[in-house]
Amino acid sequence: MTARHTLRNGPLVPQLETLLTELIRAERWTVGTRIPSEAELAAELGVGRSSVREAVRLLARDGLLDVRHGVGTFVGRPAAGNAGLDRLLSRARLLEVYEVRRALEIEAARLAAERARPQDLDRLRAHLVRRHESRAEPSSVFVATDLDFHAAILDVAGNTILSALFESIRPQLLDALTDLVDNVPGRPDTHCAHDDLVRALESGDADAAVAATAANLDPVLRILRKGDS
């Protein structure tokens, strides 16, 4: 990488997402070509493989990359259908994004309590364990793992529109929540709320699932509203 690609201090995943996007648009790798492996990119950039993996996942979601398991990752041809939403999100205040997140996850919790199957609950428990274990990892890894847990709840809810909307705001959430973990002293501890949410889904209690989701999200929402006032 040239000097202009030097990564700064701060959350790595958004920087890697931007860097890889720039390289693709500058045709360092043309459409249909295979990009370096996760390990090769991590070594070239001097970052962890988990950060590269998350950035690649975000670009694959947007269609810039095509991940073919067991084969490699190739440059894709993104569709233009979400361009208007992407521009709107780039201008949105974090408070607005987080209010949308709350609305999505409240409804997802209600639906997941009604629709969760035994195999879904097994998968959520595994996500919960990984989330709690990641507390000792760098903040960007912890936040990404936390968002994986919440994305799994949306998957269980079984509404593809809710899941797509969550994925559309995930990059903003990852960046902002990593900054919050790193820089906001006395941030709220919502680990128990995640345990409560899984227990509510296990028992099929929609009201308890909604309450646990609110207990998780509302403390951060109060911080954002205070900062926005």
Side-chain angles (χ1 to χ4, degrees), residues 156-185:
V156 174
N159 186 303
T160 57
I161 303 300
L162 287 178
S163 292
L165 288 172
F166 181 82
E167 288 302 318
S168 73
I169 64 174
R170 181 169 173 146
Q172 288 87 345
L173 292 173
L174 178 64
D175 193 4
L177 293 174
T178 300
D179 282 338
L180 185 145
V181 170
D182 285 338
N183 299 314
V184 176

Side-chain angles (χ1 to χ4, degrees), residues 76-141:
R77 192 183 303 275
N82 287 333
L85 178 59
D86 290 343
R87 285 195 296 271
L88 178 62
L89 287 171
S90 71
R91 296 193 298 266
R93 295 176 304 156
L94 176 58
L95 174 60
E96 294 174 322
V97 172
Y98 213 82
E99 287 172 341
V100 169
R101 178 191 183 181
R102 186 184 190 280
L104 295 175
E105 292 201 34
I106 288 289
E107 182 58 22
R110 190 187 314 278
L111 292 174
E114 298 170 358
R115 298 174 178 176
R117 301 165 299 177
Q119 60 266 37
D120 295 325
L121 295 171
D122 289 341
R123 185 160 52 92
L124 290 177
R125 293 185 197 103
H127 273 289
L128 185 65
V129 169
R130 286 196 294 272
R131 181 202 178 275
H132 288 343
E133 289 176 345
S134 72
R135 294 169 66 180
E137 299 291 330
S139 56
S140 60
V141 176

Side-chain angles (χ1 to χ4, degrees), residues 10-24:
L12 286 174
V13 173
Q15 294 184 65
L16 292 171
E17 182 186 6
T18 299
L19 173 56
L20 294 176
T21 299
E22 290 174 352
L23 291 173
I24 291 168

